[in-house]
Amino acid sequence: MSQRLIFPFTSGMIICGYKTLRYKSYWGFPHYGIDISSYQGGQTTTDHIIRASGEGTVVWSQYDNPSSGAKSLGWAIAIQYNDCISRDGSVKSFVARYMHSPKVYVKKGQRVKAGDPIADEGN
């Protein structure tokens, strides 16, 4: 059965999307995702827990410690979500990454459901 993914915060906003070549030259890699925050943009919530966006499997949960000298992303999680209904109505699977967390609640191989707490929001 297909699933529609949910927003990973009870209250938050998208604060930026794809970034420029200046970002790549500073950080050393392109930014193809979106940044979502429950702290920034005038949010008034006290709930800063990141929640799973759907049913999936944690494929990565560890501290990012790059050997290349790049800046660390902090604690990071990757979750594979299968059978997701995309914007055009097709069904696809993909991996979502959640980064910059000071604390994570899930381990590699763990199954999650939509709304399960997976990490605390960092910056």
Side-chain angles (χ1 to χ4, degrees), residues 44-95:
T44 58
T45 185
T46 58
D47 181 358
H48 302 290
I49 295 174
I50 303 169
R51 291 174 166 67
S53 296
E55 286 190 27
T57 302
V58 178
V59 295
W60 193 62
S61 177
Q62 65 189 49
Y63 192 79
D64 174 61
N65 193 9
S67 60
S68 65
K71 292 177 178 57
S72 173
L73 299 172
W75 282 94
I77 300 168
I79 299 177
Q80 181 168 340
Y81 297 108
N82 295 323
D83 304 319
C84 303
I85 301 172
S86 66
R87 192 169 64 176
D88 66 3
S90 62
V91 176
K92 300 177 181 181
S93 298
F94 69 93
V95 174

